[in-house]
Amino acid sequence: MSDVSSGARLLREGPGPVVEGAAAGVGSRLLRAGAAARPLASGTLRFVSTARRVHHRYEDYLRALDVSGVKLEYCDGEIYARAGGTPAHADLAAAAIRLLGNSLVGRCRVSSSDLKVRVEATDLSTFPDATVVCGERRVSPKDPNAIVNPTLLLEVTSDSTEDYDRGEKLANYKQLPSLEVVMFVSHRRPQVTLVERTPDGWSQREIRSGEEIILATPPARFAVDELYAGVELEVDR
């Protein structure tokens, strides 16, 4: 996943009063719900944290998406912004989509991060780096632009989102009845983590350089080294 804004939850550009919420208008961008913004003399804003949690309706989120210049994630009344990723992040996401697409042509549909996925059970709507759907797509009754039946979800990790992606977000993903695999592509080293549904729950395995990624559902196969070919990784930390 691309970097998520870790600062304030409301961004307003230009002078004038601050209005919290997506209804603030086209001059505002809702990044996260529940912070206070204070005008400075220049008309820009300083952000300060507040203890109060602001709950936004899903309709607020959809309106915010219409005017936002970045992708927004919604979870249980809170709205988060996804900032742009690094060149390595973009290259890895593109390579993963290409390799999955080549493996699954005619069998499953592979989509980019422009496709929204919704987890009805946990009230999460998000934009994974890649999504695979085998069979007919089904959309959310709350959001006709969000699908609810992915077979595979892929996230390229980043420094700021890795813990969230592998923890809370993964826990949300596991609530999707159709989901068979979550794939985490490391931004630090040639390594892919596969979290796969089994009859007994979920299992995890690591696939490294020199090894192949082999999936039963969806039926895909490609080498880790193909995925990372030509990608300049970030410094390992």
Side-chain angles (χ1 to χ4, degrees), residues 21-23 30-31 56-68 70-75 77-82 116-118 123-127 142-143 146:
L30 187 62
L31 295 188
H56 291 271
R57 299 173 304 165
Y58 199 74
E59 292 79 7
D60 296 333
Y61 166 66
L62 295 179
R63 284 197 294 271
L65 273 177
D66 287 341
V67 300
S68 174
V70 296
K71 288 186 173 70
L72 302 176
E73 179 175 297
Y74 180 92
C75 189
E78 294 195 72
I79 300 173
Y80 303 87
R82 289 183 50 171
K116 191 191 311 173
V117 173
R118 178 158 172 80
D123 202 19
L124 170 70
S125 289
T126 188
F127 295 86
K142 294 184 68 172
D143 187 346

Side-chain angles (χ1 to χ4, degrees), residues 26-162:
V26 176
S28 300
R29 289 200 194 106
L30 187 62
L31 295 188
R32 296 175 67 192
R38 295 178 178 172
L40 302 177
S42 64
T44 59
L45 295 178
R46 182 194 304 275
F47 297 95
V48 294
S49 299
T50 64
R52 181 170 64 90
R53 181 181 184 273
V54 177
H55 186 279
H56 291 271
R57 299 173 304 165
Y58 199 74
E59 292 79 7
D60 296 333
Y61 166 66
L62 295 179
R63 284 197 294 271
L65 273 177
D66 287 341
V67 300
S68 174
V70 296
K71 288 186 173 70
L72 302 176
E73 179 175 297
Y74 180 92
C75 189
D76 193 25
E78 294 195 72
I79 300 173
Y80 303 87
R82 289 183 50 171
T86 64
H89 186 284
D91 291 344
L92 288 169
I97 290 168
R98 173 176 54 83
L99 292 168
L100 285 168
N102 290 344
S103 292
L104 299 172
V105 63
R107 293 180 285 186
C108 304
R109 185 175 297 179
V110 183
S111 301
S112 71
S113 61
D114 286 332
L115 182 63
K116 191 191 311 173
V117 173
R118 178 158 172 80
V119 184
E120 302 284 9
T122 62
D123 202 19
L124 170 70
S125 289
T126 188
F127 295 86
D129 289 312
T131 300
V132 175
V133 177
C134 299
E136 184 178 357
R137 285 176 177 167
R138 298 198 304 272
V139 299
S140 167
K142 294 184 68 172
D143 187 346
N145 292 320
I147 65 108
V148 296
N149 63 324
T151 306
L152 177 150
L153 295 174
L154 181 144
E155 298 284 3
V156 179
T157 63
S158 68
D159 286 340
S160 63
T161 66
E162 185 167 16

